[in-house]
Every structure is written in structure tokens, then in C-alpha cells.
Amino acid sequence: MNTSESLKDYQHVRGLAIQSLFEIIEQSSEGTVIVDRDANIVWMNERYAKRFGLKSADQAIGQPCEQVISNSLLRQVVRSDQPILLDIQDTPKGPLVVMRLPIHDDAGKVIGAIGFALFDELRNLSPMIERYLSMQQELASTRSLLRSRQSKYNFAHFIGTSAASLEVKRRARRSASADSPVLLLGETGTGKELLAQAIHGASPRANKAFVSINSAAIPHDLLEAEFFGTAPGAFTGADRKGRPGKLQIAQGGTLFLDEIGDMPLPLQSKLLRVLQEKEFEPVGSNEMITSDVRVIAATSTDLEAAIKRGEFRADLYYRLNVLPIQVPPLRERLDDIPALSEAILEELRSQHELDREALALLARHAWPGNIRELRNVLERAALLSDDLVLDAQEIRAAIGTFSPVQCSAVAPIEVETFSAARERFDRQLIAAALRQCEGNVIEAAKRLGLGRSTLYKKMVALGIEQSQ
């Protein structure tokens, strides 16, 4: 077969394919219309003609397309030589999904256009539209949930310039760059969750979720399911599809375990496995899920005393106590009260101020409820006062039961210098990393984000032996 015969054969096949495609679309569509270069109708099938109230398609021949199809865009297609692949067209019998294509001669010049009415009343598109809308809603819900899981606080929200406050912020900032567990110790109301969120926000995991769970706020029989999630139908009344736990929700981010001292012993052993093996099983499942979370724990309980009472596992304590941060009570950082009071009143959108005697009175109270109590007192005083300047009498009335601060309560703050505290923290941090890495200095340096030689120098300066 020579070249000319091959070309004729290809053209013949192409012609048959075009004819076949046209017949398939014409037969399966709701209607077809063809116009010439002047947008006058040259052909219309009977089905389409009846939709527009014509007795036969012959009545449409020669008429401008808009005269038969009032809102037709076929003239636009002819003039622009641009197809309109999907559009919705209103007709007397309801909307149609239509496609409009230009028609060219052998030289490529536009000689007309053809329109296909693909679907009647959008019913064939409804599954796709519903799926698209469902996906959009799910995406919006996921974005909204992720925004709600982002940390709301940073280190600037931990108000205070006292020595105790500066040391807490220094340790917390230092811990943000590591991935080891952090243990926040301190009384209720001292700002432990705020610090946890600040650590997360300054860490490489900041763009992932920050998820918190309070061991004291959830019944013990539900805590395991809340923590690990449940497999489909794990127990009577369980979600048929299963339910993700906080560990799964926090994947890639930070899990904050508040009041860890109240966690039941059986769950403590499972948490220890998560920390050591980086895996867990949902309740009622045999599937092992890999865990990628940074754990920050907090407690107002004396964990060492709880270990002696048999209420807390020693091995879990040592695993969590890698980077301990003692958050001081307000009575040990009384110098921060003026700045804290100003920040609280601003947050309350209050125009009130404190006079000198009122500030002096605040500095003499022991604050058993810590910053949470201070906020409560200031909010109450502002609501009850008719003056914008709060005096000592109004503050005294808002406090209620007054607890005078003891001198011995503030003495420990001044005992240790900043330099000594920093040296002590560095020694604890490096020693803990070496224990975790079984004395491997190279691995410990990686965990601490230090060069090997830098770590060696620090070890020599601090008197730390490699065996630690």
C-alpha cells in the first residue's frame, strides 16, 4: 500500500469515527442542533424540536438559533471559534446540561456550530455534584478542626519578668526544639497548659494539631477509649465506624496530658508502651498503629510521693521526666502581679486600673488559686466597682478570705542565681539524653540538636562523664 492509499484509508477511518461519535451522542443526548456560520439552524432532531414546542424539526430550519432557543449561545461559539464544553441552559421544560462546539471545513475555517443537550434536569449529574459538595464540606470541616487544634498561646502570653518566670520561659523555649517528653510540674492555675501550647507553637510540629486530654476530667472506664480510640463495634453502643482517639487526632503534632497523676495504672502501662515503642492499638482492635506525637504532660500531684504510694508507675515517671519544668506558684513570683493584672484587665476589655495601695494588697496575698484566682478577683472587682480606679478596699472585698503570704514562701526564688540555674538545667538535660541513648554521645548530640564536638565541650565543662 502506497502513501496516498494509506492517507485515504486514514481519512476514511477518521470520517467513520466522526460519524459514529456524532450518532452515539445524538442518540443518547436529549437533543442536537446544528447552525451555519450565520447562526441559522440547518438541522435539529425531532426530540429537541418538541422540547421547544415545535410540531416538527422542519419548522426550525433556516431560523436564527435564538428565535427557536431563546438563550442560545451558538452564535457566540461561531464568532469566537471557542467551544463551551459544559453549561446549563434553561428551557420551557426545565434546565439542560449542554455542550457547544464549533464546526470547521477542511481549511480550518469556522462554518457553523453544533450543540448537544447532554443531560435532562441535571439528574445524571447529581451524584457527581453531591460527591463534590460532600468533599468540599469535609475539607472545610477538616480545616476548621485543624484551626481549632492549633495552639492559641505563645511565650509572650506567659506574663512575667521575675527571675522565676524568666527561668521557666528559658527552659520551655529550650525544650521546644527537642522532641523528648516534657513534664510540667506545678499547682493548678499556674499556666501549665499555656506553656504546653507555647512549646508546641515554637516547635517544628507547630503546623500540626495540639490535642489535650485531662485524665481527671474523664471517667476512668472511658479514658482508654478517649485516649486510644475504638475499633468499629468494639463494645455495645460503640460507633459502627469506629472512633479515633486523641493519639490519632494528634498524629504529627503534640499530645498534652493534663493531670497525668490521675491516670489509672492500667492506662499508664499502655502509655509507657506508646512512648517506648511508638505504637498502640485502638480498643477492640488487633491492628497496630504507629504513633508520631510529641508528649507534654502536666500534673499538680507530687509524682514521687505517688510512686511511693503505688499510685504511679516509676518507669513511666522516668520516661516522662526527661525535660522537667517546675512552674512556680504566683506567691513565688509576686513581682509579676502588676504586669499580670494589667494583662488580665486588658483581656477582660476593662477600662479599670489599680491604684498603688491595691497593687500592694495583691502582693501580700498568698494566692492559693494562683493566676486563675487573680483573674477571678480582678473580674469581680471590676464588675462591682463604680470607679475606673480600683482601690485596696475594693480588691480586699473581691478577694474574700485573705491568706497573707509567708516570707519563707518567696525566699527560695533568690537562692539560686540565673547562671547556676542554667548550668543545673544543662547538666540535667545532657545527662538525661545520654541515659536515653545509653551513653552514645553522637546519638545524644542529634537528639539535643548539638554538634558532637559542642556536646563533648559541654560535658567536660559540666563534669559529665560519658557513662551517664
Side-chain angles (χ1 to χ4, degrees):
M1 182 181 295
N2 57 40
T3 304
S4 60
E5 290 176 342
S6 298
L7 183 60
K8 288 181 181 179
D9 187 50
Y10 294 155
Q11 290 174 339
H12 177 65
V13 172
R14 178 174 176 270
L16 290 176
I18 293 173
Q19 180 181 350
S20 175
L21 178 62
F22 172 80
E23 290 175 354
I24 290 172
I25 296 178
E26 191 277 326
Q27 291 171 10
S28 61
S29 70
E30 295 297 322
T32 306
V33 60
I34 301 175
V35 300
D36 60 17
R37 61 168 54 91
D38 297 318
N40 295 324
I41 295 175
V42 296
W43 184 84
M44 175 183 277
N45 64 4
E46 295 295 334
R47 189 162 57 255
Y48 211 31
K50 290 179 181 179
R51 176 173 281 274
F52 292 98
L54 302 178
K55 292 182 179 179
S56 72
D58 292 338
Q59 292 180 265
I61 305 303
Q63 295 192 51
C65 59
E66 299 89 351
Q67 191 168 329
V68 177
I69 307 170
S70 60
N71 53 358
S72 174
L73 296 179
L74 287 171
R75 187 180 300 276
Q76 175 182 322
V77 173
V78 173
R79 289 177 177 175
S80 66
D81 192 16
Q82 295 295 321
I84 302 175
L85 297 179
L86 277 180
D87 193 17
I88 297 176
Q89 176 158 338
D90 292 324
T91 72
K93 294 185 177 180
L96 293 172
V97 177
V98 299
M99 177 173 64
R100 307 178 183 97
L101 304 170
I103 302 173
H104 304 92
D105 60 15
D106 292 339
K109 185 178 179 181
V110 177
I111 58 173
I114 183 169
F116 297 104
L118 300 176
F119 307 121
D120 184 19
E121 299 177 354
L122 310 184
R123 63 176 181 270
N124 292 317
L125 277 183
S126 60
M128 183 175 69
I129 293 173
E130 289 176 4
R131 179 175 174 79
Y132 172 76
L133 292 176
S134 175
M135 291 173 65
Q136 287 293 98
Q137 290 175 353
E138 185 176 345
L139 179 60
S141 175
T142 301
R143 285 174 174 166
S144 175
L145 181 61
L146 185 57
R147 282 195 298 270
S148 70
R149 299 286 187 189
Q150 297 289 307
S151 56
K152 297 180 291 185
Y153 302 109
N154 55 46
F155 288 116
H157 289 95
F158 192 86
I159 308 295
T161 56
S162 65
S165 297
L166 291 176
E167 175 62 12
V168 166
K169 286 192 277 190
R170 189 189 72 82
R171 289 193 177 201
R173 285 195 180 96
R174 187 75 173 270
S175 69
S177 60
D179 213 32
S180 302
V182 175
L183 183 59
L184 301 174
L185 304 166
E187 299 174 8
T188 59
T190 52
K192 295 190 292 296
E193 182 165 1
L194 185 154
L195 273 175
Q197 292 199 31
I199 292 170
H200 169 76
S203 75
R205 297 174 179 265
N207 293 327
K208 300 295 184 178
F210 176 89
V211 180
S212 62
I213 182 170
N214 190 318
S215 299
I218 301 172
H220 286 185
D221 55 344
L222 297 179
L223 192 57
E224 183 176 1
E226 187 74 14
F227 196 79
F228 295 107
T230 59
F235 50 83
T236 304
D239 193 328
R240 186 174 55 184
K241 297 181 180 179
R243 182 171 177 269
K246 299 296 188 184
L247 267 171
Q248 288 171 275
I249 297 172
Q251 280 286 62
T254 300
L255 181 65
F256 176 56
L257 304 175
D258 201 5
E259 296 301 342
I260 188 75
D262 291 320
M263 180 176 284
L265 283 168
L267 191 56
Q268 290 179 30
S269 61
K270 294 188 177 182
L271 173 60
L272 181 62
R273 178 179 176 83
V274 173
L275 293 171
Q276 290 181 337
E277 306 299 332
K278 304 295 184 183
E279 60 185 18
F280 65 94
E281 294 179 30
V283 176
S285 171
N286 293 322
E287 178 187 3
M288 197 66 71
I289 298 177
T290 300
S291 172
D292 176 26
V293 296
R294 200 270 177 93
V295 171
I296 300 178
T299 183
S300 57
T301 302
D302 184 342
L303 292 183
E304 292 185 358
I307 291 171
K308 292 177 182 177
R309 295 193 303 267
E311 297 173 359
F312 201 84
R313 292 180 62 106
D315 46 6
L316 177 59
Y317 171 72
Y318 294 126
R319 190 66 187 85
L320 290 172
N321 197 37
V322 177
L323 296 172
I325 299 176
Q326 185 73 46
V327 186
L330 185 53
R331 63 183 174 275
E332 292 182 6
R333 43 180 294 217
L334 294 173
D335 290 345
D336 294 334
I337 283 183
L340 282 168
S341 299
E342 183 179 353
I344 290 170
L345 289 171
E346 184 177 342
E347 185 183 342
L348 294 172
R349 298 183 180 180
S350 172
Q351 301 298 316
H352 290 81
E353 297 179 3
L354 294 161
D355 67 16
R356 186 174 300 176
E357 288 75 15
L359 284 171
L361 180 65
L362 291 176
R364 293 199 300 270
H365 183 48
W367 301 107
N370 294 296
I371 298 172
R372 193 172 293 128
E373 183 188 359
L374 175 62
R375 179 189 174 91
N376 177 273
V377 166
L378 292 176
E379 185 172 8
R380 184 185 301 119
L383 288 171
L384 295 177
S385 176
D386 295 326
D387 299 321
L388 289 180
V389 178
L390 300 174
D391 59 26
Q393 185 178 353
E394 290 169 317
I395 292 297
R396 180 65 182 81
I399 290 177
T401 303
F402 190 80
S403 302
V405 66
Q406 302 297 320
C407 293
S408 59
V410 296
I413 298 178
E414 306 300 332
V415 170
E416 189 174 32
T417 65
F418 182 84
S419 177
R422 179 171 182 173
E423 183 177 306
R424 178 169 51 81
F425 175 69
D426 288 350
R427 186 180 291 105
Q428 290 176 349
L429 182 65
I430 293 172
L434 287 169
R435 282 197 300 272
Q436 278 189 292
C437 301
E438 298 179 350
N440 188 319
V441 177
I442 297 176
E443 183 63 30
K446 288 180 181 178
R447 291 202 179 192
L448 293 169
L450 299 173
R452 181 179 59 179
S453 60
T454 301
L455 180 56
Y456 272 124
K457 289 178 183 178
K458 285 184 175 291
M459 290 170 61
V460 172
L462 296 169
I464 299 174
E465 298 181 2
Q466 188 171 348
S467 59
Q468 290 185 327

